[in-house]
Amino acid sequence: GIQVEQSPPDLILQEGANSTLRCNFSDSVNNLQWFHQNPWGQLINLFYIPSGTKQNGRLSATTVATERYSLLYISSSQTTDSGVYFCAVEGSYIPTFGRGTSLIVHP
Amino acid sequence: EAGVTQFPSHSVIEKGQTVTLRCDPISGHDNLYWYRRVMGKEIKFLLHFVKESKQDESGMPNNRFLAERTGGTYSTLKVQPAELEDSGVYFCASSQFGDNSPLHFGNGTRLTVT
């Protein structure tokens, strides 16, 4: 099946800092989504972005499908951004998750 | 539009008991997936329904797990008998059939086996 790698695995930031999370995938995909798992365990859909760039407030995402990667940008981070960020990709296979990036934002 | 709902939100059972998790997908979504996250590790695929048919159950860990989707609507995931390693968060997701259809996740069921 498709391989999904996320980096970095862990990230610690001070409030107000910016960060970039990366998702690499091993095959062409039809769908790509970024999720945030909050401290309560809920999976919150951030972006549905099989290609191109999208922005939602302090968050933005870019997927370069031809080069098989996606980036999630978090600007002016807040403590509420803490949690685990997952990307999930779907090509000819069932949607597959990366291992996630665990983000801690300190006040 | 109502989202994907899962019940119960939490379940604590003893080893050897049976637990049944339920998922109600978004109305009209033919695809239904079950996933599991164990002890803070990665989110692992369990199985995939299209309507009432199991399309892929390659992720089901063993025959103690049984999933059904009656009439292509809601789905249940039964664990019988439960073991300690079954503890984790079980997520259900649904999507419309076809490409370019995002996954919508429920809030998950946190299962603790003691």
Side-chain angles (χ1 to χ4, degrees), chain B residues 12-41:
Chain B
V12 181
I13 61 173
E14 293 182 352
K15 176 181 173 181
Q17 289 185 323
T18 298
V19 63
T20 300
L21 314 181
R22 174 171 170 144
C23 169
D24 286 76
I26 292 173
S27 178
H29 281 193
D30 289 339
N31 286 320
L32 188 150
Y33 303 87
W34 283 97
Y35 287 85
R36 176 172 75 168
R37 189 171 192 220
V38 176
M39 289 297 291
K41 295 183 179 178

Side-chain angles (χ1 to χ4, degrees), chain A residues 11 17 19 22 69 89 97 104:
Chain A
L11 188 57
S19 62
R22 187 176 180 104
Y69 73 89
V89 304
F97 281 79
I104 298 174

Side-chain angles (χ1 to χ4, degrees), chain B residues 1 3 12 20 32 35 50 68 72 78 83 86 93 100 109 112:
Chain B
E1 157 182 281
V12 181
T20 300
L32 188 150
Y35 287 85
V50 175
E68 295 179 326
K78 180 190 288 188
E83 298 289 343
D86 300 332
N100 303 315
T109 293
T112 303

Side-chain angles (χ1 to χ4, degrees), chain B residues 48-106:
Chain B
H48 170 214
F49 285 98
V50 175
K51 297 184 180 179
E52 68 276 8
S53 300
K54 291 177 186 176
Q55 291 295 295
D56 185 338
E57 52 183 333
S58 60
M60 295 287 263
N62 51 60
N63 59 10
R64 295 185 294 103
F65 288 72
L66 175 64
E68 295 179 326
R69 190 179 183 191
T70 306
T73 56
Y74 70 91
S75 175
T76 58
L77 179 64
K78 180 190 288 188
V79 185
Q80 179 182 28
E83 298 289 343
L84 298 179
E85 64 264 26
D86 300 332
S87 296
V89 181
Y90 289 77
F91 290 101
C92 172
S94 71
S95 68
Q96 291 181 328
F97 190 74
D99 293 342
N100 303 315
S101 179
L103 287 174
H104 299 262
F105 275 84

Side-chain angles (χ1 to χ4, degrees), chain A residues 30-31 33 35 37 39-45 48 50 84 86 88 90-91 94-99, chain B residues 31 33 35 37 41-45 48 56 89 91 95 98-107 110:
Chain A
N30 297 319
N31 297 333
Q33 286 179 259
F35 294 92
Q37 187 172 33
W40 296 271
Q42 298 169 318
L43 274 173
I44 309 299
N45 182 36
Y48 170 70
V84 184
F86 290 98
E90 180 180 10
I94 50 92
T96 301
F97 281 79
R99 289 179 175 269
Chain B
N31 286 320
Y33 303 87
Y35 287 85
R37 189 171 192 220
K41 295 183 179 178
E42 59 194 297
I43 298 174
K44 289 279 207 178
F45 166 78
H48 170 214
D56 185 338
V89 181
F91 290 101
S95 68
D99 293 342
N100 303 315
S101 179
L103 287 174
H104 299 262
F105 275 84
N107 286 336
R110 182 175 296 277

